[in-house]
Amino acid sequence: MQLENRLDSIIKKVRSYHPDPNITQLRDAYEYSRRMHEGQTRKSGEPYMTHPLEVMDIIADLRLDVASLVAGLLHDVVEDCETTVEDIRLRFGEDVAFLVDGVTKLSKFQFNTRREAQAENIRKMIIAMSRDLRVILVKLADRLHNMRTLKYMSESGQKRKSQETMDIYAPLAHRLGLHWVKTELEDLSFRYLYPDAYYDIAEKVASKKRQRQSFIREVISILDDLLSEHGINAEIYGRPKNFWSIYRKMRDQQIEFEQVFDVLAFRIIVDKRPECYESLGLVHNLWKPIPGRFKDYIAIAKPNGYQSLHTSVIGPYQERIEIQIRTHEMHKVAEEGIAAHWMYKEGKAVPDRDDEKFAWLHQLMEEHQDHEDPVEFLESVKIDLFHDEVYVFTPQGDVMSFPSGATCIDFAYSIHTEVGHQCSGAKVNGKMVPLRHQLQNGDICEILTHKNQRPNKDWLSFVKTGRARTKIRKAVRQEQRERSRELGRELLDKELKQHGTNIRAWERSGTLKEAVEKSKYNHVEELLGDIGYGKTQADTVVEKIYPTRKGSGKKKKKDKPSKLGQLWNKLVDRGKTGVVVDGIEDVMVSYAKCCNPVPGDDIIGFVTRGRGLSIHTRDCASVSHLERERQIDVRWSGDTDVPDSARRPVSVRVYCTDKPGLLANISQSFSSAGVNISEAQCVTTDDRRAVNTFEVLVHNRDQLNRAMENIEKIKGVYKVERTAS
C-alpha cells in the first residue's frame, strides 16, 4: 500500500506540469516493474521497487514526458530480471524500449577490466544520446537516487561510484544546464571521496548558520531598497555555495575555510535584459567590485545556454560576496536546463543540428566514431565535459568555447580536421605565437597552414580538447602504420634477395599473395606492417614458400620466434616480478619512471624495442604517446602485496601551512602506515606555505592510499597527491 501511495503522489506531480498524461500507461508500467522485481531487495533491505519509483519521481522533477517516466520505472528490468528489450518494445512501444536499452548496462558482455567495461557502458550511453537526449536524463535520475542511497554499499564501491559520478555524470548535468542535479551529485560524491573534508566543511558551515542567515537577510534588504529606489522590480535570493565548490576553492588556492570569503552567493532576478546591466552598475556603485571577477555570460552565453552576469564585490562588513544577475527567462534556463527550451511535446527527441545551444552535444556524438578504444573514448569525454571555459574569437568575430588551458592547436582542430593537420603557425591578437600558446578569454586567434605540414606526436603533450587529441592520435597512428609497412617491405625484400629474388618479382608472379594466405593474414599491408613492427619475421614468411631451402644457401635462423616471442621467452630466475602477461608469470619487465606503478594500480604493458616490457599505469600521460600496436594487457599476479625487498618507489606531494611540528606529523603518518621515506624535499614560500615532496617505498596501492588519507586528516594540510617522478 505504501508503494501505491508513493505512485499516486508522483502522478499528482506529473499532472501539475503535463497537460494530458497517459495515466493508464504509467500504472501499467508500475505493475509490470513491480511484478518483475518481486522478491528483490536493495542493499538497504527495502523492496527493490522503491528505487524505480524514486527514479520516476526525479524524472517528474525534471518535468519530462510519459515515455521517460515509464522508462524510469522499467530501467532495471532488462538488466536484473527475465525481460528483454523486445518484451518492452511489444508492450510499451519503440520509444520506451529505446530509452530502456540506452540506459541498460552492457552486463551480458565480457570485458578484460572493470575500466574497459565502464568505458564501454559510457560509450553506449553517449551514442544513444545522439538519437534521444532523454537517455541521459533518465540515467541521471537513476544515478542521483543511487548516490542518495550510497551509504549501504561497501567503502570501495562508494568511492568507485562517487569518482565515476564526479568524472562523468556531474559534468553532464552541468552541460545540460541541470544545476540542482549537478550540485547534489557533486556534494554526494564529495561526501564519500573525501569524508573528513566533507564533514569538516559541513560542521563549519552549520556552526555559522544563524549568523549567515542574518547576513543574507541584511544584504537582500539593502539590494531590494537600492533597486526599488531606481524603479527596478527584482526578486533577490541568497544561499551558501555547495560544499564541493567551497572545498575546490580551498584546494585550488591552498587556503583554509576561514580564508574562503565568498562562501555566499546572491541572485538578482529582473524582468528585462537591460535591467541586468543597470542593476550591475548600481551594485558596483554601492560596493567595490573585485578586479578580474566579473563575467558576462549574457553577451557570451555558456555552451549549455546559461546566461547571467557574475560579479564579486566587497559587501557589508568587508565580506566578499558573489552576485548573479539575470532575467526570469534566463533563470528558468539556469534552473531547468534543457527542459526550459526544448520540449518533448513538440515531438522532438533531439535538438536541431543548427541549434547553437547543443553544438557541443552533436560534436561529442560525432567524436565517438574516431575512437577504436572505449577507454580512449572515455578519456576524451572527460576532457570535453569537465573543464572551466575560455571564450575565443575567430578573425570573423565568431565566438568559440574551449577548456581552460586550450592552445592554438585546439583552436585549429575546432575549425576543421585538415586545418589542424596542416597547422604551421598561429597569430593571437595579431602577433605570432607558439602553437602551444594557451588561449585567454577575449583572444582573437588566426591559424596559418601549409600543405606539407603533418600532425606532430609532441602536440599530444599540450592539447586540451578531446577532439584535437583524437584527431592527432589517429593521424600519428596512420603515419606509424605506413612507416611500419615501408620498413616491412624493405625487410622482406632484403630477405628475398638472399634467395635470388625480390619483392617486385613476388608481386608480379602472385607469390606475395600466396605468402600472405599461408601466413594467415587478410591482406598484404597487414603482413608488411607486422614485419615492420617485429611481430612476424621476414625469414619465416619466406620459408612458407621455400621450405626446402631451410638448410641451404644462407644459414637460416631456424624456428626463430618473433621479437615479441623472444621477449616472452626471456623468463629469468630473478624472483617474482608480480606481473602476468596472458597467464605467463615472471616476464622480464621494467617499471616506467614517469608514473612508478605499484601493485594494485590499473596497468598496461608496452613492448619496447630491445628493452623488454615496460609497465605503466593506464592513466599515465606517457601512454597516449605510445604506439597502440605495441601496447598489451597485463595484470598483477594474484596478491598485490610484495616482499620488503621489492617495494616500489612512489612520489607524494603534500601542500600545507609552514608551521612547527607539521613535517614531523606527516612523517609519523607515513611511518604508521608502514611506508618508508627514502628522500624528502621541502620548499617554503613567502606566504607561510610549504610544498613537501616525498620519495617513499610502498608494498601496494592500498598501503599508499592509507598513508595519504592519514596525512589529509592533519590540520594544516591542504592537499595530498601522488605525482610523477
Side-chain angles (χ1 to χ4, degrees):
M1 190 62 186
Q2 188 175 0
L3 293 176
E4 283 75 7
N5 290 339
R6 185 74 180 104
L7 176 67
D8 290 340
S9 68
I10 299 170
I11 289 176
K12 184 177 179 181
K13 183 185 293 186
V14 174
R15 289 184 188 277
S16 70
Y17 71 84
H18 198 295
D20 186 26
N22 187 339
I23 303 302
T24 301
Q25 188 180 34
L26 289 176
R27 293 193 180 278
D28 184 30
Y30 165 77
E31 289 298 334
Y32 185 85
S33 181
R34 184 186 59 78
R35 190 166 64 254
M36 291 297 103
H37 290 297
E38 189 73 41
Q40 296 179 359
T41 58
R42 305 201 79 211
K43 291 184 182 297
S44 63
E46 296 176 304
Y48 193 89
M49 194 59 206
T50 58
H51 173 61
L53 275 173
E54 293 308 316
V55 171
M56 179 190 181
D57 185 49
I58 295 170
I59 293 171
D61 288 334
L62 294 172
R63 304 171 68 84
L64 299 187
D65 64 347
V66 170
S68 302
L69 294 162
V70 171
L73 285 168
L74 303 176
H75 74 276
D76 275 337
V77 296
V78 173
E79 183 177 341
D80 297 338
C81 309
E82 296 296 324
T83 303
T84 66
V85 174
E86 185 59 28
D87 294 335
I88 301 298
R89 182 179 292 107
L90 292 174
R91 181 155 185 159
F92 298 99
E94 181 65 39
D95 218 16
V96 172
F98 178 79
L99 296 179
V100 172
D101 186 44
V103 177
T104 301
K105 295 176 183 176
L106 302 181
S107 55
K108 296 179 182 178
F109 291 84
Q110 296 299 315
F111 298 100
N112 294 327
T113 65
R114 176 177 286 168
R115 179 184 175 85
E116 184 180 333
Q118 178 208 42
E120 193 57 53
N121 283 324
I122 298 295
R123 187 215 283 265
K124 183 189 179 191
M125 184 181 66
I126 295 291
I127 293 172
M129 285 170 60
S130 65
R131 288 179 54 192
D132 198 323
L133 270 174
R134 289 173 294 180
V135 169
I136 190 58
L137 298 177
V138 173
K139 182 60 183 177
L140 283 171
D142 174 42
R143 178 52 61 107
L144 181 55
H145 183 249
N146 280 331
M147 291 300 295
R148 286 174 177 175
T149 56
L150 201 61
K151 65 181 179 181
Y152 299 105
M153 287 190 69
S154 66
E155 185 177 347
S156 61
Q158 290 172 348
K159 289 187 179 296
R160 186 176 66 254
K161 286 281 187 185
S162 297
Q163 192 62 60
E164 183 182 66
T165 300
M166 197 71 89
D167 287 345
I168 298 294
Y169 294 101
L172 269 174
H174 170 66
R175 293 302 292 266
L176 292 170
L178 303 171
H179 179 76
W180 69 272
V181 176
K182 168 201 172 251
T183 53
E184 186 173 354
L185 286 174
E186 285 179 341
D187 277 355
L188 288 168
S189 301
F190 177 32
R191 179 192 299 179
Y192 295 104
L193 288 174
Y194 309 103
D196 293 333
Y198 173 88
Y199 287 110
D200 182 55
I201 291 175
E203 182 181 346
K204 289 174 179 175
V205 169
S207 67
K208 295 185 177 181
K209 183 177 180 179
R210 183 174 299 178
Q211 176 185 345
R212 184 176 63 252
Q213 289 176 335
S214 175
F215 181 78
I216 289 174
R217 286 194 296 269
E218 182 175 350
V219 171
I220 290 176
S221 177
I222 293 172
L223 290 173
D224 189 47
D225 291 343
L226 174 69
L227 298 177
S228 297
E229 183 182 334
H230 290 80
I232 298 175
N233 180 38
E235 295 179 12
I236 306 169
Y237 304 96
R239 60 174 178 81
K241 290 186 176 180
N242 65 309
F243 295 167
W244 174 244
S245 176
I246 295 171
Y247 175 75
R248 280 186 63 191
K249 183 166 296 230
M250 292 170 59
R251 184 189 64 186
D252 295 345
Q253 298 181 11
Q254 298 183 26
I255 57 179
E256 296 190 26
F257 178 83
E258 291 72 22
Q259 296 170 286
V260 180
F261 297 108
D262 49 349
V263 173
L264 297 177
F266 292 84
R267 289 188 187 135
I268 298 174
I269 304 174
V270 297
D271 296 328
K272 303 173 184 176
R273 178 168 171 161
E275 291 177 336
C276 294
Y277 293 96
E278 185 179 353
S279 301
L280 177 71
L282 293 171
V283 170
H284 281 182
N285 190 52
L286 175 65
W287 293 317
K288 184 178 179 180
I290 300 172
R293 296 302 304 273
F294 169 65
K295 294 179 181 177
D296 187 345
Y297 292 121
I298 293 180
I300 304 177
K302 289 190 174 186
N304 61 10
Y306 175 89
Q307 289 184 290
S308 188
L309 298 177
H310 288 198
T311 187
S312 291
V313 298
I314 306 297
Y317 313 109
Q318 298 300 299
E319 288 282 353
R320 294 190 183 197
I321 56 176
E322 180 183 298
I323 298 177
Q324 302 169 359
I325 308 172
R326 61 182 73 142
T327 65
H328 289 281
E329 181 62 28
M330 294 172 189
H331 184 64
K332 183 180 181 184
V333 173
E335 291 300 300
E336 298 180 16
I338 195 172
H341 42 63
W342 172 47
M343 302 302 293
Y344 289 100
K345 64 183 178 183
E346 298 174 2
K348 294 168 62 180
V350 181
D352 292 334
R353 296 190 64 82
D354 59 356
D355 190 337
E356 293 182 1
K357 293 185 287 291
F358 296 97
W360 67 271
L361 179 59
H362 290 297
Q363 181 172 317
L364 188 65
M365 304 314 158
E366 292 164 1
E367 286 305 308
H368 84 271
Q369 300 173 9
D370 292 324
H371 287 280
E372 300 172 1
D373 183 355
V375 176
E376 279 188 13
F377 171 77
L378 181 58
E379 175 192 327
S380 176
V381 169
K382 287 181 181 181
I383 291 170
D384 283 340
L385 287 179
F386 201 27
H387 59 70
D388 295 325
E389 294 148 340
V390 295
Y391 297 89
V392 182
F393 292 90
T394 68
Q396 292 74 35
D398 296 326
V399 180
M400 305 181 78
S401 171
F402 294 94
S404 179
T407 66
C408 299
I409 292 293
D410 293 294
F411 184 91
Y413 276 102
S414 71
I415 297 171
H416 193 277
T417 299
E418 285 306 311
V419 174
H421 285 351
Q422 298 178 9
C423 178
S424 59
K427 290 183 179 180
V428 172
N429 303 326
K431 297 180 180 180
M432 291 296 298
V433 296
L435 293 180
R436 63 170 60 240
H437 175 82
Q438 293 189 356
L439 300 168
Q440 306 297 321
N441 271 319
D443 280 348
I444 301 173
C445 187
E446 179 183 355
I447 299 299
L448 309 177
T449 60
H450 193 283
K451 63 180 181 179
N452 293 328
Q453 177 67 43
R454 292 291 180 269
N456 190 324
K457 187 168 70 172
D458 292 340
W459 291 356
L460 290 169
S461 65
F462 57 78
V463 294
K464 292 294 183 183
T465 60
R467 177 181 177 82
R469 192 175 296 276
T470 300
K471 299 296 183 183
I472 294 167
R473 278 176 175 163
K474 187 175 182 181
V476 168
R477 286 173 184 166
Q478 179 62 31
E479 187 176 345
Q480 288 173 340
R481 281 194 289 268
E482 290 174 0
R483 284 204 304 266
S484 70
R485 286 195 289 267
E486 291 172 5
L487 177 59
R489 186 181 182 86
E490 291 177 11
L491 291 173
L492 182 57
D493 190 52
K494 183 178 179 181
E495 181 68 24
L496 287 173
K497 286 177 181 177
Q498 300 289 331
H499 295 265
T501 185
N502 58 54
I503 195 168
R504 288 187 179 180
W506 264 31
E507 286 175 327
R508 286 193 301 267
S509 65
T511 308
L512 181 57
K513 184 178 179 181
E514 181 186 349
V516 170
E517 294 172 352
K518 288 188 175 182
S519 300
K520 301 190 184 311
Y521 282 90
N522 295 320
H523 47 76
V524 173
E525 289 76 11
E526 185 181 355
L527 171 63
L528 296 179
D530 273 12
I531 293 174
Y533 274 114
K535 296 180 180 178
T536 297
Q537 295 298 108
D539 58 357
T540 303
V541 175
V542 173
E543 286 171 3
K544 301 284 185 184
I545 304 300
Y546 304 135
T548 59
R549 300 193 184 187
K550 279 187 179 181
S552 63
K554 169 178 165 263
K555 185 178 180 180
K556 302 299 289 181
K557 299 174 182 177
K558 187 175 181 180
D559 298 326
K560 180 179 178 182
S562 68
K563 289 184 178 179
L564 198 59
Q566 292 177 53
L567 180 62
W568 296 167
N569 292 333
K570 290 182 179 178
L571 303 180
V572 293
D573 186 18
R574 296 186 178 179
K576 299 290 185 182
T577 64
V579 172
V580 176
V581 184
D582 293 334
I584 305 173
E585 299 193 15
D586 300 329
V587 175
M588 223 166 56
V589 301
S590 62
Y591 297 95
K593 289 184 168 48
C594 50
C595 55
N596 281 330
V598 301
D601 283 337
D602 194 6
I603 54 175
I604 190 167
F606 178 71
V607 182
T608 65
R609 298 186 187 274
R611 291 179 289 106
L613 189 66
S614 177
I615 306 298
H616 295 257
T617 60
R618 281 191 181 270
D619 57 2
C620 174
S622 299
V623 171
S624 62
H625 304 278
L626 303 177
E627 299 169 27
R628 183 70 191 167
E629 291 81 358
R630 303 182 71 82
Q631 296 178 23
I632 63 171
D633 287 328
V634 297
R635 60 182 173 82
W636 300 102
S637 59
D639 187 5
T640 57
D641 203 358
V642 295
D644 287 348
S645 59
R647 283 179 295 184
R648 299 285 309 129
V650 180
S651 181
V652 176
R653 188 164 294 149
V654 180
Y655 300 88
C656 60
T657 56
D658 180 22
K659 64 179 184 180
L662 191 57
L663 187 59
N665 291 339
I666 294 173
S667 300
Q668 179 58 41
S669 293
F670 276 125
S671 179
S672 298
V675 174
N676 282 2
I677 301 173
S678 58
E679 186 179 334
Q681 182 181 13
C682 305
V683 178
T684 58
T685 60
D686 294 336
D687 57 352
R688 296 190 59 77
R689 310 215 176 280
V691 180
N692 306 305
T693 304
F694 300 92
E695 296 296 328
V696 299
L697 297 172
V698 300
H699 290 90
N700 52 48
R701 183 174 179 170
D702 288 342
Q703 184 188 34
L704 175 62
N705 288 342
R706 285 197 302 273
M708 292 174 66
E709 288 171 3
N710 290 340
I711 294 170
E712 280 184 331
K713 297 175 183 178
I714 299 174
K715 185 174 178 59
V717 171
Y718 306 125
K719 182 181 178 183
V720 183
E721 62 181 3
R722 179 177 170 183
T723 65
S725 297

